[in-house]
Amino acid sequence: KKFGSLMGGIHDLKTSSIYHSQNLWDASMANSIAQFHKKNKNAMVLHLCGKFHCEERLGTVSQLARINPRINSFVIVAIAEKEFAALTTDQQSALADVVIITPGKNEASN
């Protein structure tokens, strides 16, 4: 639902090539992390991605949990202050384990 809303109201995600390509990206990254974890049990992995691929523990995080639910994930999201302020309290709380609020883009520089 979240992806469909972001993409302008796509309702039939089953036929959306954009949705499938993003899903493949998340699954591929999660698989790479899981494969690395198999060989390096005590290593910590830092995976950097756009917030849409991890916020609310969706995207790469949910794919990794599907592949190997024993791997612990800790999600950090950076978000512009105006964007954060526009969210409900529940949405803010659900974003990540840690949320970094940034000043965002300077309006004068647009």
Side-chain angles (χ1 to χ4, degrees):
K1 289 179 184 178
K2 184 174 183 171
F3 184 85
S5 294
L6 178 73
M7 300 310 290
I10 296 174
H11 297 289
D12 187 6
L13 294 180
K14 291 178 184 174
T15 61
S16 170
S17 59
I18 296 169
Y19 174 72
H20 289 294
S21 68
Q22 292 302 304
N23 228 359
L24 180 60
W25 187 96
D26 289 327
S28 175
M29 295 311 301
N31 186 59
S32 294
I33 294 167
Q35 293 305 313
F36 179 85
H37 181 264
K38 268 186 190 177
K39 297 175 186 172
N40 304 278
K41 296 275 186 211
N42 295 320
M44 181 183 295
V45 175
L46 175 63
H47 172 66
L48 299 175
C49 62
K51 73 180 181 65
F52 197 78
H53 291 280
C54 65
E55 66 185 1
E56 297 179 33
R57 305 189 80 71
L58 297 172
T60 305
V61 180
S62 66
Q63 291 283 358
L64 183 58
R66 182 185 56 78
I67 294 168
N68 185 342
R70 294 184 312 263
I71 296 177
N72 293 320
S73 297
F74 187 84
V75 179
I76 302 170
V77 166
I79 185 170
E81 186 175 16
K82 282 186 178 181
E83 186 180 351
F84 184 76
L87 300 174
T88 67
T89 303
D90 288 342
Q91 290 170 321
Q92 292 172 346
S93 298
L95 275 177
D97 298 304
V98 171
V99 177
I100 300 169
I101 300 172
T102 67
K105 192 173 185 178
N106 184 344
E107 300 280 332
S109 67
N110 285 339

